[in-house]
Amino acid sequence: MIFARIAGTGSHLPGEPVTNDDLVRRGIDTSDEWVTVRTGIRARHFAAPGTNSSDLALIAARQAIEAAGCSSADIDLIIVATSTPDFIFPSTATLVQAGLGIRNNCAAFDVQAVCCGFVYALATAEKFIRSGSHRRALVIGAEVFSRILDWTDRSTCVLFGDGAGAVVLEASDEPGVRAMALHADGSHHPDLWVPGNVAGGQVMGDPFLRMNGQTVFKFAVKALDEVMREVINLAGVPQESIDWFVPHQANIRIIQSSAKHLGLPMEKVVTTVGIHGNTSAASIPLALDCAVRDGRIRPGQRIVLEGIGGGFAWGAALIDV
Ligand code: UT7
C-alpha cells in the first residue's frame, strides 16, 4: 500500500515585522491593545511592491526540497494554494515550477480554498500519491494578502499578512497522512470574500477583502471542533496520542477554543498568529515549518492540522510526521 509522508518543510516571510504600533503610525485608526486582545496578533510581514506570491513560494519550496534531501528534478507535482496569485493565469504553481527549473514530467496547478487552501492542496496531493500516479509533490501555501486589504477598513486590515510555507509530500511504505476531511458551505460566501473581478480591462466590483468577522468567528469555532473530531475518528487513534495541534492562524481566541474543546493544553499548540498575523493559505505550513525547525515537531510524532476560510471551506488532517 502506498502512503504519503511529509519529507521536508520550508517557509518564507518577506521583509521586517510590522507591529500594531507601526500600523497606528501609518494612520490606521486602531491600537496595539485592541488588536492584541481581540486577535493575539502583534506583528505581521508585508511583501515589497513587485514581490508576488510565486516569489515567496519559490523560497519556501527550495527550503522544503533541501529539507527533504531531494532535488527539484525529483518533484513530479506542484500544487500551490493561494487566493492572491501573481496573475489571473497561468497558475502560480507553474511560475514556481519555472523558478525551480523543472521543465517536464511535473504537473502544476493552483488550488483556491482561501484560508483552508493548504489543507485542500495537501488532500489533493495525498490522493495523487496514494493512487501511484505521482511520487513526490511540493505542496505550498503562498499569499500576498496585503494587496487585497482596504487600509481604511480597520476591522480587516490589521488582521492579515504575507508569507509562504511548503512541504514535500512523498510516497512511502509507512503512513504519514492518516486521515483528511474537507467540507464547504458556499451559502456563506458573502461573509468573507473579495467581491470583484476583472472585465473589459477594468476591476468590476470591489477588489478588497470584506468580512463579517463575528459570523466567521462563530462558525469557525463550531466547524473546527467538528472537523477535528472527524479526522481523529477517521484515523482511529486516541485523542491523547496527538503530539501537536497546528491550526490555521487567524485569531488566538479561535485557536484556544479549538484546543479547549479537544482537551489539548496550549503547550501542545503551535501558535504563530502573534508574529505572522493571518497569512491565509500560508499560515498552516508556516506554523508547521517554524515548529519543525525549532525542534518541537520531531519525526515519529503525530500532528493535527486544521483550517477554515472563505466559502466557507474548512478541513483538517491527522498526520504522522
Ligand atoms: O482566516 C479566515 C478566518 N477569519 C477569522 O477567523 C476571523 C474571525 N473573526 C475574528 O477574528 C473577529 O471577529 C475579529 C477580530 C475580526 C473582530 O473581533 P470582534 O470581537 O468580533 O469585534 P467586532 O467586530 O465586534 O468589533 C468590536 C468593536 C467595534 O466597535 P463598537 O461598534 O463596539 O464601538 C469595532 O468598530 O471594535 C471596533 N473595531 C476596532 N477597534 C480598534 C473593529 N476593528 C478595530 C480595530 N481597532 N482594528
Side-chain angles (χ1 to χ4, degrees), residues 26-42:
R26 290 180 187 190
I28 313 275
D29 179 20
T30 190
S31 66
D32 176 54
E33 189 196 359
W34 191 95
V35 182
T36 308
V37 169
R38 300 276 176 151
T39 71
I41 298 168
R42 301 185 306 279

Side-chain angles (χ1 to χ4, degrees), residues 29-31 34-35 38-39 115 154-155 158-160 192 211 213-214 216-217 248 250-251 253-254 278 308-309:
D29 179 20
T30 190
S31 66
W34 191 95
V35 182
R38 300 276 176 151
T39 71
C115 297
R154 67 178 183 171
S155 69
V158 301
L159 305 176
F160 296 91
L192 177 49
M211 177 167 72
Q214 287 197 355
V216 178
F217 192 104
H248 170 48
N251 186 319
R253 292 185 290 140
I254 296 176
N278 182 346
I308 184 163

Side-chain angles (χ1 to χ4, degrees), residues 166-178:
V167 303
V168 170
L169 197 69
E170 66 181 20
S172 164
D173 299 334
E174 302 285 324
V177 179
R178 283 187 172 267

